[in-house]
Amino acid sequence: MQHISFKLISIVNDVIGLFYPRICGGCDAHLMKHEQNLCLNCLHHLPKTYYWDYEVNPTEQLFWGKLKVDAACGFLHFGKDSIVQQLMHRFKYKRKTGIGRELGRQFAIILKDKQWFTDVDVIVPIPLHPSKQLRRGYNQSDYFAEGISEVYDVPVRRKAMKRVVATDSQTRKSRYDRSENVEEVFQVSDLNAIRGKNVLLVDDVITTGATLEAAGNRLLEAGAAKLYIAVIAVS
Ligand SMILES: [Zn+2]
């Protein structure tokens, strides 16, 4: 059912795109023919972290002592009132799913070029709780995963894991509450998709890393051979 509704949303988006002019998700400028979702000017001005060039990067350091992750990387700095904040808002709440897909693609092009995640087998987006996904109509991380998948040519397994506990709106929680809150939130629902595989777990924003830590530990318990993490924005 979830699969059908996801496909339906994609088809509806494609149809809408036929009738409305293509505009940049960042600055609302009309896109040139060769541009997709974001204009070249916005792409150029994204505040990239350049973590892919670090020996040890701050995204990986968040997991030290908590999660056995083989490599982790964040793409952009999430500054208040920045273009990234605007992009993420439109991506998460305004159905501008093309933004997430485009950011996934742009990130993956860099990572692949820098020899990151060379042996990844499957991509797993952090799932939303079904009730939340129903309200929003989509899971934003699915689109980020799709963009990465296009570049790496490996499948997205969006039903490999599910969120079984609906946490309160995490934005209103303190850091302490948040880490307490996510312990048993996730379950691996398709063991065959995970066991023995090199898994790339993806999410939109990372703050404390507690959500990714909880999900990552479930993937390792389910027998993932290697665990990688990629996030769009580092808060
Ligand atoms: Zn733009």
Side-chain angles (χ1 to χ4, degrees):
M1 186 62 198
Q2 212 179 342
H3 185 64
I4 293 167
S5 63
F6 184 82
K7 274 204 153 160
L8 192 65
I9 288 167
S10 303
I11 292 165
V12 169
N13 281 341
D14 287 346
V15 172
I16 289 169
L18 291 175
F19 296 102
Y20 289 86
R22 301 184 329 120
I23 57 165
C24 172
C27 68
D28 298 329
H30 283 264
L31 291 174
M32 312 285 265
K33 203 162 188 177
H34 58 275
E35 294 171 336
Q36 288 182 66
N37 304 301
L38 293 172
C39 74
L40 282 180
N41 190 45
C42 281
L43 282 178
H44 181 74
H45 286 104
L46 290 174
K48 300 186 186 76
T49 60
Y50 294 96
Y51 285 174
W52 42 89
D53 289 330
Y54 286 33
E55 195 71 40
V56 173
N57 77 66
T59 303
E60 280 176 354
Q61 282 176 311
L62 283 175
F63 299 109
W64 282 3
K66 299 173 187 165
L67 176 69
K68 196 185 147 297
V69 61
D70 290 273
C73 199
F75 184 28
L76 306 171
H77 290 292
F78 188 98
K80 207 168 148 39
D81 302 322
S82 68
I83 182 174
V84 178
Q85 190 185 37
Q86 164 158 316
L87 287 173
M88 298 305 282
H89 181 77
R90 289 177 164 187
F91 170 41
K92 285 176 79 164
Y93 305 112
K94 302 289 180 187
R95 296 183 173 264
K96 301 284 186 194
T97 51
I99 292 173
R101 190 188 294 270
E102 190 59 34
L103 292 176
R105 200 157 37 212
Q106 296 295 331
F107 191 22
I109 289 168
I110 294 170
L111 291 173
K112 200 175 177 190
D113 183 54
K114 298 277 180 178
Q115 307 285 308
W116 278 70
F117 310 147
T118 48
D119 57 354
V120 63
D121 298 313
V122 293
I123 302 172
V124 175
I126 288 278
L128 293 179
H129 188 267
S131 64
K132 190 167 186 178
Q133 179 151 352
L134 203 64
R135 273 202 306 278
R136 186 172 297 175
Y138 62 102
N139 175 6
Q140 69 275 9
S141 291
D142 287 350
Y143 292 88
F144 180 50
E146 292 285 342
I148 297 174
S149 160
E150 275 181 40
V151 175
Y152 275 88
D153 199 24
V154 296
V156 177
R157 296 277 182 249
R158 74 176 65 80
K159 288 198 277 190
M161 197 163 51
K162 61 183 174 185
R163 199 171 192 130
V164 287
V165 178
T167 49
D168 291 337
S169 178
Q170 299 224 337
T171 46
R172 283 199 296 267
K173 295 254 172 194
S174 71
R175 283 188 165 215
Y176 176 77
D177 287 339
R178 240 183 271 180
S179 59
E180 293 291 292
N181 217 15
V182 291
E183 272 303 301
E184 298 296 329
V185 171
F186 299 101
Q187 258 177 24
V188 171
S189 37
D190 183 355
L191 277 175
N192 288 329
I194 301 303
R195 193 183 295 131
K197 301 282 171 53
N198 299 332
V199 181
L200 173 60
L201 180 62
V202 304
D203 202 2
D204 52 359
V205 181
I206 188 166
T207 312
T208 63
T211 304
L212 283 155
E213 180 193 328
N217 275 317
R218 295 297 90 75
L219 291 170
L220 290 174
E221 286 163 16
K226 284 188 185 174
L227 179 65
Y228 299 127
I229 287 174
V231 291
I232 301 180
V234 178
S235 180

